[in-house]
Amino acid sequence: MGVLEQLSYEQRLQLVVGQDRELALITTGPDGLVVDWNAGAEALFGWTGQEMAGQPLTLIFTPADIADGVPAREMQGAADRGSAADTRWHRRKDGSDVFVQGALVALRLPDGTLAGFAKRVREASLALTLRQSEATLRAMINATPHMVWSADAAGQCDYFNDKMLAFTGLPQQALMGEGWAASVDPEDLPAVREAWNQAVRGATSLAIGFRLRHHSGCYRWVLCRAEPVLDAHGAVTRWMGTSTDIHDQKIADARLRDARQRLEATLSAGSIGTWNYNLVEDRVHADRNMAQLHGIRADSGEGLAPELFFAAIHEDDRAEVRECIERAISGGNQFSAHYRVPLPFGQVRHIDARGKVEYAADGSPLWFPGAAIDITALRASQEELRMREARYRTLFNAIDEGFIVLEMVYGEQGAIVDHRYLEANDAVAAIIGRRDMVGKLASEVFPDYSLAWHEMFAQVLRSGETMRFIAEIHGRKRWIDFSICKIGDDSPDQVAVFLRDITEMKRREEALRRGEERYRALFNSIEQGFAVIEMIDDADGNPYDFRFLEVNPALGRITGLQEVVGKTLRELVPNPNPDWIAEYGRVVRTGEALQRIDYSAALDGWLDVSAVRVGPAEHRQLALVFSDVTERRRHDEALQTLAEDLARANLRQHEFLATLAHELRNPLAPIRASLELMRLSPDGATVAKAQEIMTRQVDHMVHLVDDLLDLARITSGKIVLKKAPVLLQYVLRGAAEAALPLIRARHHAFRQHVDQEPMWMEGDANRLVQVVSNLLTNAAKYTPEHGAVTLSARREGDHARIEVADNGIGIAPEAQPHVFEMFSQAGAGGALAYGGLGIGLNLVKRLTEKHGGTVRLESAGAGQGATFTLLLPLREAPPASAAPSEAPAPPATRPARILVVDDNIDAADMLGQILQFEGHEVTVAYDAGDALAHAARFQPEVAVLDIGLPGMNGLQLAEALRGEAGLGEVKLIALTGWGTEQDRRRTRAAGFDAHLTKPVSIDALHAQIAQLVS
C-alpha cells in the first residue's frame, strides 16, 4: 500500500490544499474573518497564514471595491445563491494589484446552518489579456461596414455590434436571445427561423436574404451569413455572423431583371429570336425565344452546337439555308433566308432569318449575329386573304342585302359632282329596281338624283367614319337601311354602300313599339311588384344571389328598395333569405313555375311571390311577380284567431249553460223533495227540517243569480262601488263567517293569521267580503274533506297582503293562466265534479282590480294545493267621526194595506200569504187590469209590482196607479228579475220608491215596507 493510500481522505485533501500554489483557497467564518489560508493564497497575495488568521477578508480587496461594498455583496450573493463569481482586481500585501478569477462559495452544515465561506481564486492575467483582446476585436468589428453578431451554441444571440444597433435603432437587450426576430418582416420570418434552426441543428453555414426593419420604420433587404465556431473535437462552441444591407443592390437587380424581362417579353410577343454565332469557337449563343422557335433546349450560357439548329430546319430547306450562311460569311453579304421548322401533328413554323457577319481587323470572320422572326401568322394571313377574297365574291353574290362600290367624280373646283358604280351585286336590283348599273354614272341611272348624296359621300371620305341612315323609297314604298363607309386608305375616292331592305322589320318594330307601349303601361300601372332577375351562383355552382335587370315602380312601393336595377340582392339586403334564392335557382334549373307565400324578415312583411323562368336555363333569368299580403295575412290571422276565440267562447258558453242548468237543478231537487216530505208528514219537526233545507237551497240559487248579475254589471261597466272607509279586519271577519258553514260541513281545519294592527282601506265593504268569501268558499270546495284552509293578512308597505291557502287538489300548470277567465273551473274535474259556474274567480279579479288591487295564484301543480294572494291599497285611519258606525235599527213595522201584482200566480199568492202572516192587509192581482180594479176599491198604501207583466207592463202600471184618484201617494216597490243599474234607473224614472230583485229576501222586503210606511 502506498503512502497516500495510508492517509485519510481529509489528510490527502489537506495535502492538496496546503501545497497547491496555483490555487488560492481561503476559508472565513460567517463574519468574513479568515480561518484558513493555503500556500496558493500566500503565493498569490504575499501574506502568510499566521498573518491573515482572524483578519477580515476585505484586506485583499481594492479600496475602490471596498468603498463600493463589493465584499459584502459578494458574501450576500454566495449566501443567497450558494456561490458568487469573483473575477476582478485584488490587492497584494506589497500594495500591487493582481487580476484573479474564481468564486466565493457558502459553506453550510447538514442542517443548513451557514458555517462560513470558501474563496477559491487563481491569477487570471491571461483572461485579462483576452478581455483586452476582445475589446480590440469589438473595436475592429464596429469599424467594419457589416452588422456583426454572435450567438451561443444553442443559437441564442448574445452580441450585436454598433452597426446592428444603429441600423435597427434598438438597444442590445432588445435583440438578445431571439429578440432580433421581432424586427424581421412577418412575411419572411417563418423562412428565416427555419433556415437558422436547420443551421443550428446541422452545424452548417447559413446564408439567407430577408427584410429587416430599419430604424426609420421601413423594411430593408439584408444578406445574413453565419459560420459555426468549432472546438478541437468539432463541437460547436458558438456562432459568428454578419448581416449586410443589400437593399439598394436588391432594387437595382430587380430593375435590371425587370428590364430584361420586358425585352424578352417584347421579343416573345413579336415572336423574335436572336442569336450570336461564334465563328471561332463554332458555338451559337441563342436567347430563349430562338431556342423555342426551333424547338431545342435553351442556352445554358456555354453556347449550342450549330448542328442543333440545322437539325431543326425542314429537310427540304436545310441545304439552302447552309448555302445562304456560307455566302454571307465568304462574301460579307447580308444574310437572309426563309425556312420551315416542322412541328408536331404535321404543322410547320415559317421562319424569316436575317443577319450580318462581323470580321476581325485581319479580315477573318469572328461573329455572326442575327434575328429570326416567326412569320407563320403572316403566311397564314396571306393565305387567309386569298381565301377571304374568294369568300367575299361568294358572299357578294349570295347575300340578300345590296352592296355597291362607288367612285367619286370631281368637277373643276374639286367638289364631287357625280359618282360611278364600280360594283353592284344582284340584290341591288331587287331592292331599288334597277339593273345594269355597273360602269354608269348615277345621273345616268337616276335622272332625279339628289345632290345630298354628294355631301354624305364627302363627309365619309373626309372623316373615314361610317355613316348610317334609314330612308324611304317613296316610289316603291319601302324602307332601306343605308350604310356608307370609306374603302381603305389607298382608295381615297371610293366608298361602299350597303343596302338592307328593312320594310318588314320596320313593320315589326312598329308593332313591337305598340306592344311595348302597352306592356309599359301595364308594367308601370299594376299594383303587383314585377322584376326580371338574373341568378348568380357561388364557386360551387349553387345559387347565391341575383341581379335586378328590370323592375316596375310597384316594387319600390312594396319593398322600399329604390334604384335597384343593376344591383344584386345582397348589395341591397345584407342577409337575404337563402331559401328564396335556392327556390329561384330550382325554377331556373327545372323550368317549373313557383308560387309561395312567405315571410320576409328584411321587409318585416308577408309576400305572395310567383316566379317563372324567362328563356332557356343557360340565360338564368326569372320573372318575379309579388304582392304585399301582410295586411291580408294579418286579416286572415285575425279572422282565424277570432274564429278560434269564438269557438272557445261558444264552447265555454255551452259548458256554462250546461253547468248553469245543472247548478239550478241541484237546489230544485231538495226543494221538491222537501215539499213532498211536508205533504206526506206535516208534523212540526218535519216541516221545520224541510223549511231549513228549502231556505238553504234558495239561498244557494240566489247566490248563483247574484254572481251572474254582478258579472253582467262588471262586464257592462255598470257596477257602482259604494266606497267608504272600511276596516279590513271587519271584511275578513265577515268573509270568514260567510264561508264557515261550508268549511265546517267539509270538516276542514280553518286557521286565521290576521295582524291585530288596524288596516283601513277605501272600498265597498260588501264587495270586499264577497271577494274574500269567494276565495274561502273555493278553497273549501276544492279541498277534499278533513283538509286545511288558511286565511292570513298582514301589512306590506302601503298595501295589505291577504292570502287564502289550502292543501286541496291544486291546479295544473297549463290551467293556471286561465283560472281567472270567465267560466273557467279552478280545479280538476270541472263544474260537475265540484259545483259552481266558473265565474267566481273572474268576479274576484274584476272586483279586486276595481279596488286598485291585484290577485295572484300560486300552485305547485295537481294535488299540491293552491294559494291566492290579494294585494289591496291601504289608507290612513279615518277620524273617529268618519269611521263607520253600527247600522241603525230597522224601523218597527206597522200593518199596512199592500197590493201584490205578479203574473206568476204561485209567486203572487205565496208572497201575499207571507205578508198576511206579518199582519198586513193584502190583496193579490195577476195582471195590470185586475190590479187597477183592486186598487180603486182597496186603496193600498204600498204596491209590490212585477215589471214583466203581460200586456201593460209594471212600469206602465205604476204610471196608471199614480194617475188614479186617491192613489197619488201610494208607495211603489218593483219586484223583478231585472237587477242592473239601468233597470233601476228605469224603475226610478217610472216613479217607483224601491227596487228589489227576485228571489227577494223576506227580511229585506219587510225592512223596505217598514221604511216606506213609517
Side-chain angles (χ1 to χ4, degrees):
M1 177 180 298
V3 176
L4 285 178
E5 292 171 338
Q6 296 177 11
L7 299 177
S8 66
Y9 170 77
E10 288 78 7
Q11 292 173 326
R12 292 195 299 271
L13 183 61
Q14 183 62 35
L15 287 176
V16 172
V17 171
Q19 298 180 25
D20 186 355
R21 300 185 64 83
E22 297 294 328
L23 176 67
L25 183 62
I26 307 166
T27 63
T28 73
D31 53 3
L33 299 180
V34 175
V35 176
D36 294 308
W37 183 273
N38 77 337
E42 183 176 343
L44 182 61
F45 294 108
W47 282 286
T48 65
Q50 289 181 344
E51 290 174 327
M52 287 301 294
Q55 296 297 321
L57 190 60
T58 55
L59 285 177
I60 66 173
F61 284 87
T62 65
D65 284 351
I66 295 172
D68 196 32
V70 171
R73 283 204 305 273
E74 187 176 275
M75 292 176 66
Q76 186 61 47
D80 293 340
R81 299 185 298 274
S83 67
D86 186 19
T87 301
R88 64 184 65 254
W89 289 98
H90 280 57
R91 180 61 53 90
R92 286 192 173 105
K93 179 179 179 179
D94 59 8
S96 64
D97 291 334
V98 60
F99 193 78
V100 301
Q101 183 178 22
L104 180 69
V105 179
L107 302 177
R108 294 187 181 276
L109 299 178
D111 61 358
T113 302
L114 180 64
F117 298 94
K119 186 178 184 73
R120 60 177 187 274
V121 295
R122 66 178 67 246
E123 186 174 0
S125 299
L126 180 59
L128 178 60
T129 302
L130 289 175
R131 279 195 175 188
Q132 294 171 342
S133 299
E134 182 179 351
T136 303
L137 177 62
R138 287 181 185 273
M140 294 173 62
I141 288 174
N142 288 327
T144 182
H146 303 287
M147 291 172 273
V148 181
W149 52 271
S150 66
D152 61 19
Q156 297 295 307
C157 291
D158 53 11
Y159 170 75
F160 296 91
N161 74 338
D162 294 344
K163 291 292 191 300
M164 185 72 170
L165 304 182
F167 182 91
T168 61
L170 298 174
Q172 282 272 3
Q173 199 58 37
L175 298 172
M176 289 296 190
E178 294 187 356
W180 54 270
S183 297
V184 178
D185 190 305
E187 293 184 1
D188 300 340
L189 184 58
V192 173
R193 283 190 181 278
E194 178 62 23
W196 178 230
N197 291 337
Q198 285 185 358
V200 171
R201 287 195 299 268
T204 57
S205 300
L206 171 71
I208 184 171
F210 58 87
R211 287 163 291 182
L212 189 66
R213 188 168 58 241
H214 189 254
H215 65 78
S216 63
C218 64
Y219 286 93
R220 295 181 64 85
W221 283 94
V222 299
L223 177 60
C224 180
R225 292 188 175 91
E227 291 290 339
V229 178
L230 308 179
D231 62 12
H233 304 289
V236 176
T237 60
R238 64 186 303 98
W239 290 83
M240 295 300 297
T242 63
S243 295
T244 305
D245 186 344
I246 60 169
H247 189 78
D248 295 337
Q249 177 186 345
K250 191 85 170 179
I251 297 301
D253 290 347
R255 290 173 179 170
L256 179 60
R257 186 166 53 254
D258 182 62
R260 185 182 297 114
Q261 289 175 349
R262 286 198 300 271
L263 176 60
E264 290 182 357
T266 301
L267 295 175
S268 177
S271 298
I272 300 173
T274 62
W275 82 82
N276 198 355
Y277 184 7
N278 188 333
L279 298 174
V280 176
E281 298 179 0
D282 196 28
R283 303 294 289 181
V284 177
H285 298 276
D287 63 11
R288 183 175 56 198
N289 289 340
M290 185 69 177
Q292 289 179 348
L293 287 177
H294 292 79
I296 61 179
R297 60 179 176 82
D299 185 0
S300 62
E302 298 177 356
L304 301 172
E307 290 303 319
L308 289 175
F309 292 93
F310 288 121
I313 298 174
H314 194 285
E315 60 182 356
D316 294 342
D317 302 335
R318 200 174 296 155
E320 183 179 352
V321 172
R322 286 184 184 273
E323 291 177 3
C324 288
I325 292 175
E326 291 173 358
R327 285 197 300 271
I329 295 173
S330 60
N333 301 322
Q334 182 82 21
F335 167 74
S336 176
H338 171 78
Y339 57 87
R340 292 164 293 172
V341 173
L343 299 176
F345 307 108
Q347 302 291 320
V348 295
R349 177 179 290 127
H350 293 268
I351 302 294
D352 185 14
R354 300 173 187 269
K356 186 172 179 62
V357 179
E358 296 178 357
Y359 299 89
D362 60 358
S364 60
L366 296 178
W367 295 93
F368 180 18
I373 304 175
D374 185 350
I375 60 171
T376 305
L378 175 63
R379 291 294 297 265
S381 64
Q382 292 172 345
E383 180 64 19
E384 175 64 21
L385 182 60
R386 187 187 64 78
M387 295 297 296
R388 187 175 298 172
E389 178 65 20
R391 290 195 299 270
Y392 164 73
R393 286 297 162 191
T394 302
L395 179 64
F396 181 80
N397 294 315
I399 59 176
D400 294 331
E401 290 78 6
F403 186 78
I404 305 173
V405 177
L406 309 174
E407 182 180 53
M408 301 301 107
V409 177
Y410 297 91
E412 294 180 358
Q413 302 299 325
I416 299 174
V417 296
D418 208 338
H419 62 263
R420 179 176 285 103
Y421 297 103
L422 302 181
E423 288 186 79
N425 68 350
D426 296 339
V428 173
I431 294 173
I432 65 177
R434 299 300 299 266
R435 297 181 181 275
D436 301 327
M437 299 169 55
V438 175
K440 297 181 180 180
L441 294 174
S443 56
E444 297 173 348
V445 179
F446 301 103
D448 55 350
Y449 169 70
S450 174
L451 298 180
W453 289 96
H454 296 169
E455 178 58 31
M456 287 189 287
F457 294 151
Q459 181 178 344
V460 169
L461 289 172
R462 283 196 306 270
S463 66
E465 297 180 356
T466 299
M467 178 181 293
R468 183 177 180 183
F469 62 95
I470 296 174
E472 183 181 9
I473 301 179
H474 298 285
R476 296 179 58 82
K477 296 183 179 180
R478 304 193 70 80
W479 286 90
I480 307 299
D481 182 359
F482 290 93
S483 293
I484 306 173
C485 62
K486 184 178 180 181
I487 300 179
D489 295 331
D490 297 333
S491 303
D493 300 332
Q494 293 183 5
V495 297
V497 181
F498 186 84
L499 304 84
R500 186 160 60 98
D501 189 341
I502 59 170
T503 305
E504 287 302 320
M505 185 182 74
K506 290 287 285 186
R507 291 170 183 164
R508 289 195 299 271
E509 284 180 351
E510 179 62 21
L512 181 62
R513 184 187 62 79
R514 291 194 296 268
E516 176 68 14
E517 290 176 351
R518 292 193 297 270
Y519 164 73
R520 282 295 161 192
L522 175 64
F523 184 77
N524 293 323
S525 62
I526 59 174
E527 293 297 325
Q528 292 85 1
F530 181 83
V532 177
I533 64 172
E534 179 183 40
M535 298 303 299
I536 301 173
D537 293 345
D538 60 16
D540 297 327
N542 298 318
Y544 172 74
D545 200 352
F546 60 77
R547 189 182 310 280
F548 289 95
L549 303 180
E550 187 177 8
V551 299
N552 71 341
L555 180 137
R557 293 196 300 271
I558 294 174
T559 65
L561 302 176
Q562 302 296 331
E563 299 180 359
V564 303
V565 173
K567 297 179 181 178
T568 67
L569 180 63
R570 293 185 182 272
E571 290 175 339
L572 301 167
V573 181
N575 298 303
N577 188 337
D579 295 339
W580 287 23
I581 297 176
E583 288 286 350
Y584 296 160
R586 183 187 61 79
V587 174
V588 167
R589 188 177 65 258
T590 65
E592 297 178 3
L594 166 70
Q595 194 280 327
R596 66 182 289 177
I597 296 177
D598 206 346
Y599 177 74
S600 170
L603 302 178
D604 190 22
W606 290 85
L607 296 179
D608 184 348
V609 182
S610 297
V612 62
R613 190 173 73 193
V614 178
E618 54 268 22
H619 288 180
R620 306 194 61 72
Q621 292 185 6
L622 291 179
L624 302 180
V625 180
F626 51 90
S627 304
D628 186 347
V629 295
T630 305
E631 289 302 321
R632 189 180 78 189
R633 182 86 179 193
R634 290 172 181 165
H635 180 67
D636 292 345
E637 291 176 351
L639 287 178
Q640 178 66 24
T641 302
L642 178 61
E644 292 173 355
D645 291 344
L646 289 174
R648 285 194 296 269
N650 189 43
L651 176 62
R652 286 189 177 178
Q653 183 179 10
H654 284 301
E655 293 175 347
F656 167 70
L657 292 175
T659 304
L660 178 60
H662 176 268
E663 288 296 308
L664 292 176
R665 288 192 190 101
N666 275 348
L668 292 176
I671 291 174
R672 174 175 286 180
S674 297
L675 291 172
E676 185 65 21
L677 180 62
M678 292 169 63
R679 187 181 65 81
L680 296 175
S681 178
D683 64 274
T686 301
V687 170
K689 180 66 175 176
Q691 288 176 341
E692 180 185 350
I693 293 172
M694 292 170 67
T695 299
R696 186 164 60 250
Q697 296 303 320
V698 169
D699 288 343
H700 177 62
M701 293 179 68
V702 170
H703 179 72
L704 289 176
V705 173
D706 286 344
D707 277 355
L708 287 172
L709 291 174
D710 285 342
L711 185 62
R713 294 188 191 102
I714 293 174
T715 303
S716 62
K718 295 176 180 178
I719 191 168
V720 177
L721 297 181
K722 299 176 181 178
K723 289 189 175 182
V726 58
L727 187 62
L728 188 59
Q729 284 85 345
Y730 168 79
V731 171
L732 300 180
R733 185 164 58 251
E737 290 173 356
L740 202 54
L742 179 59
I743 293 173
R744 288 174 177 170
R746 295 183 64 79
H747 310 291
H748 293 322
F750 182 48
R751 304 181 182 90
Q752 297 187 65
H753 305 288
V754 180
D755 284 356
Q756 296 304 309
E757 175 193 357
M759 290 181 283
W760 290 89
M761 63 177 297
E762 191 78 16
D764 187 326
N766 292 330
R767 294 301 183 187
L768 291 171
V769 169
Q770 182 181 359
V771 167
V772 180
S773 65
N774 270 359
L775 293 178
L776 288 170
T777 301
N778 267 5
K781 182 166 59 175
Y782 289 104
T783 299
E785 292 188 355
H786 303 286
V789 177
T790 302
L791 171 63
S792 61
R794 68 178 183 275
R795 177 184 291 272
E796 198 171 85
D798 56 356
H799 283 71
R801 182 184 184 92
I802 304 168
E803 293 183 353
V804 176
D806 63 65
N807 60 350
I809 64 174
I811 301 174
E814 62 272 13
Q816 291 180 19
H818 308 290
V819 294
F820 293 106
E821 294 177 3
M822 198 180 301
F823 311 136
S824 175
Q825 297 294 321
L832 297 180
Y834 292 94
L837 298 176
I839 62 177
L841 290 178
N842 185 262
L843 276 175
V844 167
K845 183 176 185 295
R846 291 171 181 256
L847 288 173
T848 300
E849 290 173 350
K850 279 190 171 292
H851 281 84
T854 60
V855 60
R856 186 177 76 250
L857 160 69
E858 294 178 12
S859 177
Q864 302 297 314
T867 299
F868 287 87
T869 302
L870 297 171
L871 281 179
L872 295 170
L874 294 175
R875 57 157 290 170
E876 295 179 356
S881 60
S885 58
E886 295 294 331
T893 304
R894 68 170 179 79
R897 296 186 306 280
I898 300 174
L899 171 63
V900 176
V901 184
D902 197 327
D903 60 337
N904 187 325
I905 297 174
D906 291 340
D909 291 344
M910 184 62 70
L911 182 58
Q913 290 182 21
I914 293 174
L915 292 174
Q916 286 177 350
F917 285 141
E918 295 295 329
H920 299 291
E921 185 180 353
V922 180
T923 184
V924 177
Y926 307 119
D927 58 40
D930 287 345
L932 289 171
H934 286 304
R937 294 191 307 272
F938 184 55
Q939 292 293 305
E941 297 175 78
V942 178
V944 181
L945 307 181
D946 180 25
I947 299 302
L949 295 173
M952 181 186 294
N953 61 33
L955 301 176
Q956 296 166 333
L957 176 57
E959 186 177 355
L961 286 173
R962 296 284 192 185
E964 288 290 328
L967 296 178
E969 298 299 324
V970 64
K971 303 300 182 182
L972 301 178
I973 299 176
L975 184 61
T976 176
W978 304 100
T980 67
E981 185 61 31
Q982 184 178 358
D983 297 325
R984 296 178 186 275
R985 285 198 298 269
R986 290 171 60 197
T987 56
R988 283 196 299 271
F992 281 88
D993 298 288
H995 186 115
L996 300 175
T997 55
K998 297 178 180 179
V1000 69
S1001 166
I1002 299 303
D1003 291 339
L1005 181 59
H1006 286 162
Q1008 193 65 65
I1009 292 172
Q1011 183 178 351
L1012 292 176
V1013 300
S1014 61

